[in-house]
Amino acid sequence: MVKPVTSTRLVMLFSLCLVVFYNLATWRALVALAQLQGFKAGAFYCSFAVLLWAAITLLLTPFSFRLTLKPMLSVVALCSAAAAYFMNSYGVSIDTTMMQNVLETNPGEAEALLSGKLFGYLGLLGVLPVAVIWWLPVTYRRVLPGLVNKIVVCVGCLLAIAAAVAPFYSTYAPIFRDEDKLTHFINPTNYFYAIGKLTKQTVAIKETPKIQTVGADAALSAQAQQRPKKSLMIFVVGETARADHFSLNGYERETNPELKKEDILNFTHVASCGTSTAVSVPCMFSKFPRSDYSDKKGKTYEGLLDMLQRAGMKVVWLDNNSDCKGTCLRVPHSDVPKNQPSPFCDGATCLDEALLVGLQDYIDSLQDNAIIVLHSDGSHGPEYYDRYPKTMERFSPVCHTNQLGSCTSDELKNVYDNTILYTDHFLAQTIELLKRNQDKVDASMIYVSDHGESLGENGIYLHAAPYAIAPVAQTHVPMVMWFGHSTLEDASVDRSCLSAKQDQPDLSHDYMFHSVLGLLGVTSTEYQPALDLFHSCKRNNG
């Protein structure tokens, strides 16, 4: 018969297991940050183990009551197993942005992340510990002695933390000062903190009485109303494209064979607002620059599309991605039907060209100025091989699994570059659609990706790294523009002046809101000329 353990001992043993088996990513990050050698390194790492064990014990001890202990430890085991898998397999850390991505992930995106390795982690580090937890007999003290015991344990944990940190304070101080580099790896405190912060933000958003109006005075300028043709802009929101894999930007492989034949403007130094769709998409359509943007502001303030609609423009958002992250909620919007009879859909997913199906009929029906936003699937990982037709698999062999760490760097590079090649084709097809209509409308296309992607550099995959420490691969994004033969002329914009801005070094998503307003001729007190790419190139600059 198994000897019963006390609730306190079970928490301490479980915490020790978390330190040893669930925090490999934490130990890797710590070794890289501390850069110690010899006896001092060994002593420091022992102190960190004590610190981590005491901190986790302190976190879990308040739940060590009869009704909460085993359910709580079970949830932590399963969640920590999943967290360990993603941190170990993809090199990601877990912060509020990452948790927001998890909570907003749709079934299709979630399914793409499933793998035998994930189920192995969940089985070995999740289900097995849960089975042991429920199998072990546990003894509990009476209420008052139990409370006293928990207080003593918590005080002991605090003393242990102090004793572990004190001798190495000069080493710990710089490490914890830049918390993004370590604390977002500590399992399970990283997702505990992220969930708590997200909950606080959600409550704050719900307490906001209503959506704040932005640009109540938005209207088409007199000059825009006098243009000989109506305006039609297609704004393509790209997905996970990194600028350094566009041959237009000097990449050694030819990934833009079709766009290079078009009369485009290619902006080479554009920074994203965030490293995930949940941040970047609402941010680029927001009046707030990245330095002043927050999830709360994104969810409680109107954006660019609201203003354009208020100014009398027809607005529609078509989605082949997860969703618009709140950006399109007050304008007409729809998802591409995955089961539509189309050569671009297989019932489960659609290639981005499905966004163009039926678009000519919509354009033919327009009688007003219009903007069509196409939210593409682009280069969304980890199943890159599903983002392009096999007829466009120019680079091979490819990584044909969501276990990116098991692929060679060449296989990963090949499959990712095939997605960029298909994005090039999709954008060229979008331009061809606009060309067919440029005699009757002032046609334009703006393409910009929401964020970039890590492809195994320094052991990091995918995206959503904390912005402060995100690699350039996740924040440097491509931006391409195309204009009909009379579009810039009718908007009084000098093309040669605009062309000279293609290598401007400080461009970012911050320019999107104001540049679209400027090009389409929408006036408002919210408009900032300094963040309008077109303003300084207008012949009538008043």
Side-chain angles (χ1 to χ4, degrees):
M1 185 175 179
V2 179
K3 183 178 179 181
V5 296
T6 65
S7 59
T8 299
R9 179 168 297 182
L10 179 58
V11 167
M12 290 180 172
L13 289 173
F14 182 69
S15 299
L16 182 61
C17 288
L18 288 170
V19 172
V20 175
F21 299 111
Y22 297 73
N23 273 282
L24 178 60
T26 307
W27 288 106
R28 285 174 176 166
L30 182 69
V31 170
L33 288 170
Q35 296 184 343
L36 299 175
Q37 294 180 347
F39 174 78
K40 184 177 181 180
F44 173 73
Y45 296 139
C46 286
S47 78
F48 184 78
V50 172
L51 165 63
L52 202 55
W53 171 77
I56 297 173
T57 300
L58 181 64
L59 176 68
L60 296 179
T61 293
F63 299 97
S64 57
F65 293 94
R66 186 183 301 274
L67 295 178
T68 57
L69 177 60
K70 290 189 176 184
M72 183 63 180
L73 297 189
S74 299
V75 170
V76 171
L78 291 168
C79 292
S80 296
Y85 165 75
F86 286 105
M87 289 191 291
N88 294 341
S89 298
Y90 297 112
V92 300
S93 58
I94 297 177
D95 61 355
T96 51
T97 300
M98 182 62 73
M99 285 306 304
Q100 183 178 4
N101 291 335
V102 171
L103 296 174
E104 295 183 2
T105 295
N106 63 25
E109 290 178 324
E111 184 179 354
L113 295 169
L114 299 179
S115 68
K117 187 176 179 181
L118 170 59
F119 289 120
Y121 265 79
L122 292 175
L124 188 62
L125 296 182
V127 176
L128 181 59
V130 169
V132 172
I133 288 168
W134 286 92
W135 171 69
L136 276 176
V138 178
T139 60
Y140 300 89
R141 291 178 173 85
R142 294 190 302 275
V143 176
L144 185 57
L147 287 174
V148 172
N149 174 259
K150 289 169 179 53
I151 292 172
V152 170
V153 170
C154 290
V155 171
C157 288
L158 292 172
L159 292 175
I161 291 171
V165 171
F168 299 97
Y169 180 77
S170 60
T171 304
Y172 278 114
I175 290 175
F176 282 103
R177 186 174 294 121
D178 194 353
E179 64 174 23
D180 290 344
K181 294 184 178 180
L182 183 65
T183 57
H184 291 166
F185 288 102
I186 297 177
N187 192 0
T189 60
N190 50 6
Y191 63 82
F192 265 67
Y193 175 78
I195 291 172
K197 189 171 181 180
L198 276 177
T199 301
K200 181 179 178 181
Q201 291 175 356
T202 302
V203 170
I205 291 171
K206 288 183 177 180
E207 290 176 350
T208 303
K210 63 178 181 178
I211 299 296
Q212 303 297 304
T213 300
V214 172
D217 58 344
L220 280 179
S221 67
Q223 181 184 5
Q225 294 180 42
Q226 294 168 4
R227 292 177 186 175
K229 292 184 287 189
K230 299 294 185 182
S231 295
L232 170 62
M233 174 184 288
I234 295 183
F235 192 113
V236 182
V237 179
E239 172 65 47
T240 321
R242 46 191 284 178
D244 64 349
H245 278 243
F246 266 48
S247 55
L248 292 172
N249 295 325
Y251 186 49
E252 67 273 12
R253 284 179 161 178
E254 183 56 87
T255 54
N256 302 121
E258 297 187 56
L259 282 179
K260 76 174 184 179
K261 299 176 183 178
E262 302 289 351
D263 187 19
I264 61 168
L265 295 178
N266 174 55
F267 296 85
T268 59
H269 300 289
V270 181
S272 65
C273 185
T275 61
S276 69
T277 304
V279 174
S280 284
V281 169
C283 182
M284 76 167 76
F285 286 90
S286 165
K287 73 170 185 174
F288 298 102
R290 190 186 73 81
S291 60
D292 192 32
Y293 177 80
S294 67
D295 184 59
K296 179 180 179 180
K297 288 179 178 176
K299 286 182 167 62
T300 57
Y301 282 81
E302 290 182 342
L304 173 63
L305 301 184
D306 299 282
M307 285 184 61
L308 296 178
Q309 185 169 252
R310 184 173 293 117
M313 297 192 67
K314 290 293 184 182
V315 181
V316 66
W317 179 291
L318 303 178
D319 214 304
N320 191 37
N321 204 302
S322 51
D323 60 55
C324 68
K325 308 304 180 185
T327 304
C328 64
L329 294 182
R330 293 168 297 278
V331 303
H333 59 276
S334 64
D335 294 335
V336 171
K338 301 300 188 285
N339 57 354
Q340 65 174 308
S342 165
F344 308 116
C345 300
D346 61 9
T349 62
C350 288
L351 298 172
D352 282 332
E353 284 176 276
L355 288 164
L356 304 178
V357 174
L359 213 50
Q360 182 61 61
D361 291 340
Y362 176 78
I363 293 172
D364 290 339
S365 70
L366 290 172
Q367 297 181 357
D368 300 302
N369 298 295
I371 180 171
I372 301 169
V373 183
L374 305 180
H375 190 194
S376 68
D377 210 18
S379 302
H380 197 291
E383 293 181 332
Y384 305 113
Y385 54 86
D386 268 346
R387 309 300 172 228
Y388 58 89
K390 296 304 174 278
T391 55
M392 295 195 69
E393 193 168 274
R394 175 177 299 181
F395 308 109
S396 61
V398 301
C399 176
H400 208 275
T401 174
N402 59 13
Q403 296 301 296
L404 305 183
S406 67
C407 298
T408 67
S409 58
D410 285 342
E411 289 171 338
L412 192 52
K413 177 181 176 182
N414 289 338
V415 73
Y416 183 80
D417 285 350
N418 286 329
T419 69
I420 300 297
L421 187 68
Y422 180 63
T423 292
D424 174 78
H425 174 71
F426 165 62
L427 294 177
Q429 291 299 304
T430 304
I431 291 172
E432 288 302 315
L433 172 66
L434 289 171
K435 282 182 178 178
R436 294 195 294 270
N437 294 276
Q438 63 180 330
D439 289 334
K440 58 183 180 182
V441 294
D442 280 333
S444 61
M445 183 198 77
I446 295 179
Y447 163 82
V448 63
S449 186
D450 58 352
H451 53 78
E453 185 84 326
S454 288
L455 298 173
E457 300 92 347
N458 299 313
I460 302 174
Y461 299 88
L462 304 178
H463 50 268
Y467 202 93
I469 62 169
V472 174
Q474 296 189 29
T475 60
H476 183 200
V477 294
M479 183 167 76
V480 173
M481 296 184 185
W482 176 90
F483 305 97
H485 52 64
S486 62
T487 301
L488 293 179
E489 180 68 26
D490 289 347
S492 299
V493 175
D494 183 89
R495 185 184 175 94
S496 61
C497 169
L498 190 61
S499 180
K501 294 176 177 285
Q502 290 182 96
D503 295 320
Q504 185 173 321
D506 58 348
L507 298 180
S508 69
H509 281 167
D510 291 352
Y511 283 76
M512 295 298 95
F513 181 93
H514 305 281
S515 296
V516 171
L517 291 178
L519 180 63
L520 296 178
V522 175
T523 62
S524 172
T525 53
E526 299 287 358
Y527 169 71
Q528 297 182 38
L531 291 175
D532 175 6
L533 268 171
F534 305 99
H535 177 74
S536 61
C537 293
K538 287 189 175 181
R539 297 186 182 90
N540 179 13
N541 214 359

